[in-house]
Every structure is written in C-alpha cells, then in structure tokens.
Amino acid sequence: MADKVLVTGASGFIAQHVTLQLLEAGFDVRGTLRSMRRAEEVRAVLAPRHPAAARIDFVEADLGADAGWTAAVAGCRYVQHVASPFPAVHPKDENDLIRPAREGALRVLRAAKAAGVGRVVMTSSLAAVLYGLGERRPAVADESSWSDPNGDDNTPYTKSKTLAERAAWDYVRGEGAGLELAVINPSAVLGPALSKDVSTSLEIPIRLMNGKTPAIPRLGFSIVDVRDVAACHVAAMISPNAAGKRFIATDAFLWMAECAAILRAEFPSYASKIPTRAAPDWLLKAMALFQPVYRQTVTELGRERRASSDAAKKLLGVTFRPAKSALVAAAQSLIELAVV
C-alpha cells in the first residue's frame, strides 16, 4: 500500500500542484477543505490531469477550529501543510490574519505529532525572510535571514507568515520534539493556473492584462513557478537530509514594467490592454487611502527583495524555471481559462 500524504487547503493553487506531483510519484493523497461542498470541484480540476485523482479522499477541517484534524491526519505518513490565508486586501484587524496562520500551523503540527506522522512540510513564504528589516535586508537573502515582524515595512500578511513559521519551529524544538519539519519559502508564485479560482499572486498578470490598470507602479517581485514550488515540497518530504531546514524557492526579480514588456511581446493581441505608462509613487499612495487592495503593496514601492534558491537546488535537486517562463505560463493559463 502506498504511503498516504495529507495536503491541507487542497483547493488552493500551490496545493493542487503539490497533489498532482504526489500522485505522479505514487503517493495516496487526502486533502482538507473548509467545506466538503468543494470536494467534487477539486476532483474535477485534478482528474483530467491524473487518473488517480478520483481516489483522493477529503476531510472537512478549518485552521481556525480543532474539529476534523484528528481524522485528517489519521493513517498519514506525511503532511503537506500548504493552507494559509493570503487575502487580496488588508484585514481591518491584523490578528484576523495572524491568528489563523499561527494557530492553524500549530493545530496541524499537534495533530500530526499525535498521529505519529513522520514529517511535515510547511509552506511559508519569502515574507518570513526579507521583511521588517528596512535597508538592513541582505542584497540576496538565504535561509539564515528572518523577517522582523516589528519592522516598518510589514503588512499583516508578512507578519502572519513570519509568526506562523516561528511558532512551527518552536513547536518541533519543544513539545513536538521527534516530529520532523521542513519549510518551503516561495517568492511570488506564478505558473499555470488549473482553475478560475486563482491565487492572489496571479493578480500580477491579471492586473496587467485585464485593461483596468492605466499605469504601472514602481513595484517588483521575485518570481517562482508553482510547479517548482510543488517539486520542492515533494523533495523536502522524502529527502533524508531535508528535515529541520528551510528552503527558499525563487528565481529572478522582475519589475512590473519588465513583466508588462514580456506580456506585450508574448501576447500581442493583449498589447493594447497592457499599460505602458509609469504610475508616480504618490498616485499609488493616494489610491491606497481609498482602495484597500493597494495597501498590500504601497510599502513595496521601489524596493527590491532578492533571494537565493541555491539550497533547494543543491539539497533537493530542484531546477527552477526562469521567472519569465513562469509569468508567461501564468498568462497563457489565464487566457485559456477566460480569466483575462
């Protein structure tokens, strides 16, 4: 019988790619969903891409409650804890984001420990590596860098990822000793969407291609392909030396102006919709006062955050696709799904 792997938040962008790669590697998969009403929807997305998707079983479990987690981890050798809130806009109270991320991670880890799970792989973020440091941030970060949740250039999201990951490491070094943990820290995740229920990170090509963005703000992102993020998760689960380690998953940093130029060249039929003018910084700051979606990014104006995925390449054996190809693959899938 194949080893069973629990994938939390199975309806999510990264989680679905992790699930497909686990099935391809011969593992059985169980997924958690906040509502079982989504089970057939998720199967319908995955089934055309792998025949074993029909055998996935689902358990209803929410990061904010204890119910369901004992059943979710029962009989699993591994857990892929991918679920975590990633809103498009700031919550009114940052604790509405921080609390479920931190307490949800601990719920999953405690349930895994009690069930005798061997290893948990947790999705964190570059948000837990490079934020709150101001100009003290490294020019190119590695896994030794940690975000300071008390620093000025934070958002509720970056705080939530930092505090959740810190709590996870504290747990396995304390009362959860004996449970193995590996953490993946991806940058902005692009690559092919599998359904119209798109990830927040896919807002980068969506906003550039939907004809509703009149000018390009001075923002940029380190980018990684979702398929390579999924490969990191699977490799970190089975690689003997991955336990106790963080792994940054990223490729190159691209300014939004560079992304726009790539998309105009690759998709000429969309060129008229893709902005060419630069938006002055003051405009985005003014818009952030009235449109919550921009508050997530206003602290990023003019900032470059670069990181190295050398550890994942060397220890996990993952080869990362270029950032440009991740962007193009994302855009192509969004066109095919009629999202843009």
Side-chain angles (χ1 to χ4, degrees):
M1 182 180 292
D3 288 326
K4 178 158 282 190
V5 184
L6 177 70
V7 178
T8 69
S11 62
F13 178 45
I14 297 173
Q16 290 185 355
H17 280 274
V18 170
T19 296
L20 288 172
Q21 292 196 23
L22 288 169
L23 294 174
E24 188 63 32
F27 292 96
D28 288 336
V29 175
R30 175 182 295 147
T32 68
L33 298 168
R34 285 188 293 174
S35 170
M36 287 297 288
R37 290 177 299 208
R38 298 202 65 187
E40 290 311 311
E41 172 194 334
V42 176
R43 282 198 189 97
V45 170
L46 299 177
R49 295 169 171 89
H50 201 285
R55 300 199 306 271
I56 297 172
D57 63 301
F58 295 100
V59 172
E60 188 169 300
D62 191 294
L63 293 178
D66 292 333
W69 289 108
T70 298
V73 297
C76 293
R77 181 175 178 184
Y78 303 106
V79 172
Q80 294 277 355
H81 178 40
V82 188
S84 185
F86 187 0
V89 300
H90 281 327
K92 290 182 179 178
D93 181 350
E94 66 180 20
N95 287 308
D96 290 343
L97 191 55
I98 293 169
R99 191 179 300 111
R102 180 178 57 208
E103 294 180 4
L106 292 175
R107 268 192 185 89
V108 173
L109 290 168
R110 287 179 180 131
K113 172 69 174 174
V117 167
R119 184 178 296 180
V120 175
V121 178
M122 176 175 161
T123 312
S124 184
S125 172
L126 206 59
V129 175
L130 269 172
Y131 286 76
L133 304 174
E135 298 312 311
R136 296 181 291 112
R137 68 186 182 279
V140 180
D142 62 20
E143 288 77 6
S144 66
S145 176
W146 275 92
S147 294
D148 177 0
N150 298 312
D152 291 337
D153 57 331
N154 269 296
T155 67
Y157 174 72
T158 61
K159 287 185 182 181
S160 76
K161 298 305 288 188
T162 305
L163 295 172
E165 188 186 341
R166 284 286 197 190
W169 286 118
D170 288 345
Y171 175 77
V172 297
R173 290 165 183 158
E175 66 176 282
L179 176 64
E180 294 182 347
L181 176 66
V183 171
I184 310 300
N185 298 79
S187 58
V189 184
L190 298 183
L194 302 182
S195 75
K196 289 187 177 183
D197 184 12
V198 297
S199 157
T200 301
S201 59
L202 289 169
E203 286 293 321
I204 298 168
I206 290 171
R207 287 185 174 278
L208 288 172
M209 299 176 75
N210 65 7
K212 298 178 182 179
T213 302
I216 304 170
R218 198 163 56 98
L219 298 171
F221 310 88
S222 289
I223 291 171
V224 64
D225 193 292
V226 65
R227 293 165 290 186
D228 302 330
V229 175
C232 287
H233 280 74
V234 177
M237 186 182 83
I238 60 178
S239 299
N241 297 324
K245 294 181 173 65
R246 312 168 85 197
F247 296 96
I248 291 170
T250 192
D251 187 63
F253 179 96
L254 294 176
W255 292 104
M256 281 191 73
E258 294 177 287
C259 293
I262 290 167
L263 294 173
R264 280 194 297 273
E266 293 289 334
F267 303 99
S269 62
Y270 281 78
S272 63
K273 293 184 175 183
I274 298 170
T276 57
R277 293 185 296 125
D281 291 356
W282 65 262
L283 179 60
L284 192 71
K285 292 176 181 178
M287 292 169 71
L289 296 175
F290 305 101
Q291 299 186 42
V293 69
Y294 293 108
R295 292 175 201 157
Q296 288 277 73
T297 55
V298 72
T299 59
E300 294 303 292
L301 283 166
R303 280 199 169 100
E304 296 185 40
R305 301 188 194 271
R306 300 177 186 266
S308 169
S309 53
D310 283 351
K313 293 173 184 174
K314 292 173 183 175
L315 201 150
L316 302 181
V318 175
T319 300
F320 290 87
R321 293 168 176 83
K324 175 182 175 180
S325 70
L327 173 65
V328 171
Q332 183 62 51
S333 69
L334 294 169
I335 292 169
E336 292 170 358
L337 291 164
V339 175
V340 295

